[in-house]
Amino acid sequence: VTASPATSPHLDSSVRCATLLDRFLEVRAFTSALCETLEVDDFGVQSMPDCSPAKWHLAHTTWFFETFVLAVARPGDAPFDPRFGFLFNSYYEGVGARHPRPRRGLLTRPTVPDVFAYRAAVEERMTELLGDEAPATALLDVVEVGLHHEQQHQELLLTDVKHLFSCNSLEPALRPGAKLGTATGEPRSPGWTNFEGGLFEIGHAGEGFAFDNESPRHRVLLEPFRLANRLVTNGEYLAFVEEGGYRRPEFWLSDGWATVEREDWSCPLYWSRDEAGTWSEFTVAGRVPLDRGTPVCHLSGYEADAFARWSKARLPTEAEWEVAASTFPFREAVRAGRFADELVWHPRPVGGDGSGLVQMFGDVWEWTASPYVAYPGFRPLAGTLGEYNGKFMCNQLVLRGGSCGTPRSHIRATYRNFFPPHARWQFSGLRLAGDVRTIDDASV
Ligand SMILES: [Fe+2]
C-alpha cells in the first residue's frame, strides 16, 4: 500500500484538511446510500444481540466524530443532544456508561428523522472544522480513524439488515433486482499455489492508514505451504453437507461440534432445502437457487475449519495469507474483487480457465486459523481510542481480505478483521491451505 495524499501526516495541513473533508463527505453519503431501500419500519429493529439496528449504526458513527473530534476541537460547543452519549457509545469505558448492547432495538426514540438530523448537524460542524479551522495533526489522525470506523459500520449495517430480513418469512430484498452474477461456463477448477518457507515480514509498513492492530511490522517464520487458487464454492461446500459433514464429529473442533449440536446447524446460515431437495440461498436480492460456482458465504470459523478437515486440508494462518497476498500487485487484485461499492452485496463466482491466486480481496472474508492476538511490540492508540482494538484480543479468529460488503478503499493486505469462531452472519467464507510436503494433491 503506498501512501495517498489523504493519509500522509507530513502533508501541508490545509491540503490534508481539504482531502479529508472530501473523503468525510463521501463516506457519510455512502452510509446514507446503503439505506436507500430501507423503509422506516426497518431502521430500529435488532434481530439478535450481535446485531445493531440500522438507526443505531447511523447515530453511533456520528457520535464517534462528535465525541472524539468535535468535543476535543471545540470544547465550548454544546453537544447536539447531551443524552445521546449514553445511547450511542458502543464500548468505550473511558467515555462513560452506556445503553446495553442487546437492548439497542428498544430505542424507538430518537426517531429516524431525529437521527438523520443528528447526522446532518455533525456533518455541518465537521465541514466547518475541516474547512475553516486548522485542527492539529493529532486530531486529523482521529478524523481518519473515524472514517475507517464508519466504513466498518457500513459493512456491519449491511450484514445486520440482511440478518434482520432473513428473520421474516417475506424475505425482503435489501437490494431488489441486484444482478448477483454467475460464472461463464463451469466454475474454475481448484488448484494450488506453492510458497517457499523462510523468514518473512508482515504487518503495517508505516505508509498510509492502518489500525493499531496491524503494527508493528515484524518477522515470521513460515514452513513451505500452499494456498488454494480460489475461494471454496457453494458446490464444494454442498458436497460436505450432503456427505453428512454436519453429522460427523470427527471433522469438528470440540467447541464447533458443541455449537452444531446446540444450535442445530445443518448447513450455512442462509441456505435452505425444499421438499423436492432443491437448495436455495437467501441473498440481498431475495432467495435464489444455490449457485454452485459462487463462493460459499456466511460460514462460522468452526464450519470453515470442519470443511477444511473434511477436504484433508486446513485453514491458512494469517501470516501465510499476508505473505501470499504480498506477492502480487495490490491495486490490480483489489480491482478484481467485488466490494460494497458495486452495490451487489453478494460474492461473485469465478469461472473459466486460469491459474494463480484469485479472489484474495473482496467477495468474502477468509477465515484463518490464527487467533486474534497482539503482534510483538503492539502498542494501542493513546487515550480512549486505545480501546478500539486491543481489548478484543481474546477468543477471536482473524479473517483476511475484505468482502462484497467492505468498501473498496477500506481494505489492505495487512488488514486484520476478527470475529469469534461461532459468528456466521458476516460475509465470511474460506480458502484452503496445506503443508506442501504432506497433503495429497488429489484430495481437493
Ligand atoms: Fe463502532
Side-chain angles (χ1 to χ4, degrees), residues 396-407:
Q396 316 218 44
L397 292 177
V398 173
L399 299 96
R400 292 300 196 117
S403 82
C404 55
T406 310

Side-chain angles (χ1 to χ4, degrees), residues 51 54 86 100 115 147 153 156 191 216 244 255 278 283 379 385 400 405 412 418 421 423:
C51 291
F86 182 81
V115 166
L147 293 174
H153 277 276
L156 292 170
D255 285 351
T278 307
T283 73
R379 292 282 176 277
L385 281 180
R400 292 300 196 117
R412 294 172 292 283
F418 52 91

Side-chain angles (χ1 to χ4, degrees), residues 30-38 158 161-162 165 171-180 282-288 338 340-346 404 427:
F30 190 59
T31 307
S32 301
L34 299 181
C35 301
E36 257 169 21
T37 60
L38 298 187
L158 292 174
V161 172
K162 182 175 180 182
F165 283 2
E171 295 192 322
L174 177 56
R175 200 76 198 159
K179 303 237 177 313
L180 305 181
F282 177 65
T283 73
V284 295
R287 185 160 292 282
V288 301
R338 179 174 277 170
D341 317 50
E342 261 187 68
L343 307 180
V344 181
W345 305 308
H346 193 67
C404 55
F427 295 112

Side-chain angles (χ1 to χ4, degrees), residues 56 60-61 63-64 90-92 149 152-153 156 388:
W56 190 90
H60 162 71
T61 48
W63 166 86
F64 190 98
S90 49
Y91 53 66
Y92 296 93
H149 171 255
Q152 289 182 314
H153 277 276
L156 292 170
Y388 198 114

